Amino acid sequence: MREEYDVKALNPRKNPYAKSLKKPITMNVSITTIQYFKDMSEETGIPYQTIMNYYLDECVKEKKKLQFV
């Protein structure tokens, strides 16, 4: 292994996965909502935050709109 590398000679390119990166956020979520996803987590073995993210991604893909009643 070399002690130094010429970065420009390495032909750097943009990260092709940059669009799919996640951004941490902070939000208030009701206890019942969290418990719902934690229960689902126990059933599936998937972490509850991952399940919540999958659900939100599905809402975006299907362009779901919240209906106020």
Side-chain angles (χ1 to χ4, degrees):
M1 183 175 235
R2 297 180 186 172
E3 288 186 30
E4 292 184 26
Y5 288 91
D6 182 8
V7 178
K8 291 181 182 180
L10 295 175
N11 192 15
R13 59 181 183 225
K14 292 184 179 182
N15 182 350
Y17 302 104
K19 291 181 181 179
S20 64
L21 295 177
K22 295 180 181 180
K23 179 178 180 177
I25 62 167
T26 301
M27 61 187 278
N28 296 321
V29 181
S30 71
I31 294 171
T32 55
T33 301
I34 293 171
Q35 191 57 52
Y36 173 81
F37 285 102
K38 283 187 175 184
D39 291 344
M40 197 180 299
S41 173
E42 288 180 17
E43 293 174 16
T44 62
I46 301 171
Y48 77 96
Q49 291 177 333
T50 302
I51 295 172
M52 292 174 79
N53 191 50
Y54 284 157
Y55 182 75
L56 291 171
D57 284 345
E58 182 179 319
C59 289
V60 171
K61 287 176 189 172
E62 296 182 10
K63 298 183 187 323
K64 291 184 179 182
K65 302 286 184 186
L66 183 61
Q67 296 179 2
F68 295 96
V69 179

